[in-house]
Amino acid sequence: MATNFPASLDTLTNPTSSDSLSSPSHSAQHANVNDAVEALQAKVGADSSAVTTSLDYKVAQLEAISHGKILQVVQTTKTTSFSTSSTSLVDVTGLSVSITPSSATSKVLVQVSVGLLKSDTNYVRLTVFRGNAATGTNLASPSVGFGLMRADTTPYGFGFINYLDSPATTSATTYQAAISMTAGSGSVQAEMSTITVWEVAA
């Protein structure tokens, strides 16, 4: 038979025990099955099929897409506290992460979440450096400034940063969270915090 598949589905009649081999004939029944199998094979496609309508070809095209894929994820979690009274940005000890990009064209999505406690109501600044606060590049310049909510006598809150970096390297790259007070006396304390980096294919 001439099959309709893959443009549309065929309707095949199964022979019964009472059918004679002449209607449809034995050879016609085999031809029907062969046509159906060949049509299915043509639709699925052989390995590395160049036929653009085959499923094998379409899946290969999807697998070849690389941009936007997450290639690796690295995270550091800090559960101990860190305190400073500095009005200049200083590294939060233990809140850094290192990643080695697999390609110089990759982007790195940096995410920082810091829990903060303060001894007064002055503002806090939070940022992230490629490198460190002393010699690195401030990615969130001029830093994220925010006030803290007051619970009883202790202001508290959370600071967040999302930054898509282009380090343009395949060398190990460190990202470091940093905080400071904006003015006045007192201190700021970083509590349960995380820094996560995602390598994203360009």
Side-chain angles (χ1 to χ4, degrees), residues 46 141 157:
S141 180

Side-chain angles (χ1 to χ4, degrees), residues 58-66 69:
K58 292 177 180 178
V59 169
Q61 296 304 300
L62 290 174
E63 290 177 337
I65 296 174
S66 60
K69 285 185 177 179

Side-chain angles (χ1 to χ4, degrees), residues 2-3 12 24 26 32 39 57 62 64 78 92 119 121 124 138 158 168:
T3 62
L12 302 177
H26 191 185
N32 288 347
Y57 177 86
L62 290 174
K78 178 179 173 61
V92 178
S119 61
T121 56
V124 176
N138 187 345
F158 284 91

Side-chain angles (χ1 to χ4, degrees), residues 109-191:
L109 176 61
V110 186
Q111 297 180 317
V112 180
S113 172
V114 180
L116 294 166
L117 295 173
K118 277 188 90 269
S119 61
D120 60 29
T121 56
N122 288 318
Y123 282 83
V124 176
R125 291 200 177 278
L126 167 68
T127 192
V128 62
F129 284 86
R130 186 194 317 126
N132 56 52
T135 60
T137 302
N138 187 345
L139 300 181
S141 180
S143 310
V144 178
F146 53 91
L148 302 180
M149 297 177 290
R150 179 176 289 280
D152 297 327
T153 59
T154 303
Y156 69 96
F158 284 91
F160 302 96
I161 288 177
N162 286 296
Y163 185 87
L164 188 61
D165 189 31
S166 300
T169 184
T170 56
S171 299
T173 303
T174 298
Y175 294 91
Q176 170 72 57
I179 57 175
S180 70
M181 296 182 61
T182 56
S185 58
S187 64
V188 57
Q189 181 171 305
E191 296 289 342

